[in-house]
């Protein structure tokens, strides 16, 4: 089975992460499948709404860390598929919804700032541990998160690396509502179907007006991508990725010592 499943029902395209054994960590080929589905769905008049879902107990562990390590050494930065996905998000024309059960890490959370309606189970935990991985915020989150949550809460989440519970995420305006785990997918699909019944042109136009000009977001992504590329190649990030894969704590003091000796 592929790591992404795409299906459609009643005008709703469902994009489901199905790599549960790796906590739905997103690889280059998964980003490529999601981006293709979003673009195809946008061009298909029978699709009115896109929905992101994960697996039971896990939305997504974010970018695959082995992929980060491989691309930072090979392609010298962010993979082309990751960058294409990120840059597609602000340009999607039809509404995007998400249902979050369990952890939503990194892009698993920043993706939600491009969605129009997000529901979460009480098990959901939202986190953006970019700093702890030696990285910087991505997917427009350095702009969108402070705008949505206010600078103080965004700093707490993006820089301090504080995880937010479902309830805290609701208070912060990241999600619309917390619903019981059994009700999560029915709630998301009910809202998606309601949107799919609306006059499609008016729906797209209303959304376009509400979201406003995306130029600032795309420009911020240019800066983020550049900084992210530099950080991926850094000794700090390499140490953080290797430590995760070796199931140990990163040793940033050793990195500092190596850097000061110039080794
Ligand atoms: N990239 C690659 N593999 C990942 C991964 C990721 N982002 N997240 C989890 N996995 C893998 C683990 O290495 C493990 O693989 P193994 O079974 O071959 O050892 C498997 O998925 C299960 O993960 P595990 O950590 O044992 O699950 P958990 O339920 O204890 O914790 C998370 C789940 C999501 C909290 C935890 O896996 C995690 O913090 N992942 C990293 C998140 C991250 O930093 N992402 C990058 C954001 S920029």
């Amino acid at each position: 089975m592929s790591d992404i499943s795409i299906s459609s029902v009643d005008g709703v395209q469902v994009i489901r992460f199905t790599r549960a054994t790796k906590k739905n960590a997103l690889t280059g080929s998964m980003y490529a499948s999601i981006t293709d589905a979003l673009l195809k769905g946008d061009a298909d008049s029978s699709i009115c709404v896109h929905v992101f879902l994960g697996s039971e107990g896990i939305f997504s562990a974010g970018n695959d860390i082995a992929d980060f390590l491989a691309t930072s050494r090979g392609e010298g930065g962010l993979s082309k598929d990751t960058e294409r996905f990120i840059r597609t998000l602000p340009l999607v024309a039809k509404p995007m919804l998400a249902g979050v059960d369990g952890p939503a890490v990194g892009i698993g959370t920043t993706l939600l700032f491009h969605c129009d309606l997000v529901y979460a189970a009480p098990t959901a935990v939202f986190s953006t541990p970019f700093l702890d991985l030696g990285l910087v915020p991505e997917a427009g989150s350095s702009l969108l998160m402070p705008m949505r949550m206010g600078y103080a809460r965004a700093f707490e989440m993006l820089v301090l690396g504080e995880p937010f519970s479902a309830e805290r995420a609701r208070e912060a305006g990241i999600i619309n509502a917390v619903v019981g785990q059994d009700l999560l997918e029915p709630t998301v699909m009910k809202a998606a179907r309601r949107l799919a019944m609306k006059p499609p042109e008016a729906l797209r136009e209303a959304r376009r007006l509400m979201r406003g000009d995306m130029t600032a977001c795309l420009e911020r992504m240019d800066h983020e991508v550049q900084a992210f590329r530099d950080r991926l190649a850094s000794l700090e990030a390499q140490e953080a990725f290797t430590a995760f894969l070796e199931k140990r704590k990163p040793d940033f003091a050793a990195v500092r010592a190596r850097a000061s000796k110039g080794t």
Side-chain angles (χ1 to χ4, degrees):
M1 190 174 161
S2 148
D3 293 328
I4 296 288
S5 111
I6 313 281
S7 58
S8 57
V9 57
D10 300 338
V12 178
Q13 168 166 260
V14 178
I15 301 172
R16 187 188 286 277
F17 313 136
T18 55
R19 195 181 176 221
T21 52
K22 291 285 182 185
K23 303 288 167 183
N24 292 336
L26 296 169
T27 60
S29 65
M30 291 165 77
Y31 284 120
S33 304
I34 301 167
T35 310
D36 290 345
L38 290 170
L39 295 174
K40 262 194 192 163
D42 259 7
D44 179 346
S45 59
S46 73
I47 300 292
C48 304
V49 181
H50 309 283
V51 165
F52 294 106
L53 295 173
S55 317
E56 194 180 337
I58 179 74
F59 183 64
S60 172
N63 202 100
D64 187 286
I65 291 180
D67 257 26
F68 264 159
L69 199 58
T71 51
S72 64
R73 288 175 178 166
E75 293 176 32
L78 210 54
S79 86
K80 288 189 185 65
D81 292 320
T82 313
E83 194 178 334
R84 183 167 155 258
F85 168 68
I86 283 171
R87 291 187 190 276
T88 298
L89 286 173
L91 302 175
V92 173
K94 295 178 182 174
M96 293 187 280
L97 279 69
V100 180
D101 180 11
V105 189
I107 190 85
T109 284
T110 55
L111 151 71
L112 304 174
F113 288 85
H114 296 272
C115 290
D116 303 284
L117 291 170
V118 182
Y119 299 93
T123 52
V125 182
F126 303 83
S127 63
T128 51
F130 300 116
L131 267 285
D132 295 329
L133 290 167
L135 301 172
V136 290
E138 40 68 314
S141 59
S142 65
L143 177 73
L144 301 177
M145 285 176 66
M147 268 168 56
R148 179 85 66 89
M149 311 156 70
Y151 187 84
R153 281 187 293 208
F155 195 89
E156 209 178 337
M157 194 178 206
L158 272 178
V159 182
L160 194 57
E162 195 68 22
F164 276 35
S165 67
E167 194 47 49
R168 183 125 198 257
R170 191 194 59 74
E171 282 165 15
I174 304 172
I175 64 170
N176 293 79
V178 184
V179 296
Q181 206 174 12
D182 294 352
L183 295 176
L184 178 66
E185 293 197 7
T187 303
V188 177
M189 291 307 290
K190 188 174 169 194
R193 283 193 176 93
R194 273 182 66 189
L195 285 175
M197 304 278 286
K198 307 266 180 206
E201 281 172 25
L203 173 64
R204 275 202 302 281
E205 199 55 11
R207 180 176 183 267
R208 190 182 65 77
L209 288 166
M210 283 185 72
R211 288 163 72 87
D213 187 354
M214 283 292 141
T215 309
C217 183
L218 290 162
E219 281 175 2
R220 181 63 63 92
M221 284 179 170
D222 290 341
H223 296 298
E224 288 176 349
V225 164
Q226 187 53 54
F228 206 90
R229 279 208 178 101
D230 294 344
R231 295 309 310 158
L232 274 175
S234 70
L235 291 176
E236 290 172 350
Q238 301 280 317
E239 166 59 12
F241 303 155
T242 310
F244 176 77
L245 296 173
E246 291 176 355
K247 300 188 189 292
R248 62 170 173 82
K249 284 203 180 320
D251 185 352
F252 294 121
V255 171
R256 267 198 304 276
R258 275 176 58 199
S260 67
K261 278 191 205 148
T263 55

